[in-house]
Amino acid sequence: MSSINREQLLGQLNWRYATKQFDPKRKINAQDWATLEDALLLTPSSGGLQPWTFIVVTDPAVRAKLKPASYGQNQITDSSHLVVFAAKDNFSEADVDAHIRHVAEVQGAPVEALAPLRNMLVGGIVKSLDEAARNAWARNQAYI
């Protein structure tokens, strides 16, 4: 893996911008799109919980229906790909437990070894926040 120096990193960060207009004829190639989807799946969140779903919208009719809810922005219909970030409502202990099982599987560790992490996540998010606050927390996790 190559490293990037400070000037290169800051140069890339300073270059970023919000795209105001897309050429509807230009499409992201399949290999690049697959890489972007993989990157979405690895996006970090608080506690690694990722309380969201990514919905790739390909149907032009659905995109047209979404445009009014997106302040009439043409990017919704003209972009090569459209990803909707949907935050999970009413995040629960069951969601934490599913995450813990996944982490245990990936790490090859027993679920019991992750009890301190589970207790921290349940105590700090599920039990300490009411439903409205948990929903706000999830929305903030999906926010870009």
Side-chain angles (χ1 to χ4, degrees):
M1 177 182 264
S2 64
S3 62
I4 184 170
N5 67 39
R6 182 182 195 283
E7 290 75 26
Q8 290 171 318
L9 174 63
L10 294 177
Q12 291 300 311
L13 292 172
N14 281 315
W15 178 85
R16 73 190 190 287
Y17 66 96
T19 302
K20 304 291 184 209
Q21 181 177 330
F22 291 98
D23 179 350
K25 295 176 189 147
R26 290 186 65 192
K27 302 292 179 194
I28 298 171
N29 70 54
Q31 182 178 0
D32 289 345
W33 182 251
T35 300
L36 291 169
E37 283 186 342
D38 288 343
L40 282 174
L41 294 174
L42 297 171
T43 303
S45 66
S46 178
L49 293 165
Q50 298 176 311
W52 56 62
T53 298
F54 302 117
I55 304 163
V56 179
V57 183
T58 56
D59 185 333
V62 173
R63 289 171 128 201
K65 287 181 183 178
L66 290 172
K67 188 174 176 179
S70 303
Y71 305 102
Q73 296 181 73
N74 290 330
Q75 295 96 318
I76 299 301
T77 53
D78 293 349
S79 61
S80 173
H81 292 71
L82 176 65
V83 180
V84 175
F85 293 70
K88 179 171 183 22
D89 282 341
N90 201 17
F91 195 81
S92 68
E93 280 191 60
D95 296 307
V96 172
D97 288 338
H99 172 65
I100 294 297
R101 285 191 302 275
H102 176 73
V103 170
E105 180 182 326
V106 168
Q107 293 181 354
V111 169
E112 298 77 26
L114 298 170
L117 174 61
R118 182 196 184 276
N119 294 339
M120 179 190 71
L121 296 172
V122 169
I125 297 168
V126 177
K127 291 187 176 179
S128 68
L129 303 173
D130 63 18
E131 183 177 344
R134 285 193 312 275
N135 292 346
W137 167 82
R139 282 191 308 274
N140 288 338
Q141 296 300 304
Y143 182 77
I144 295 180

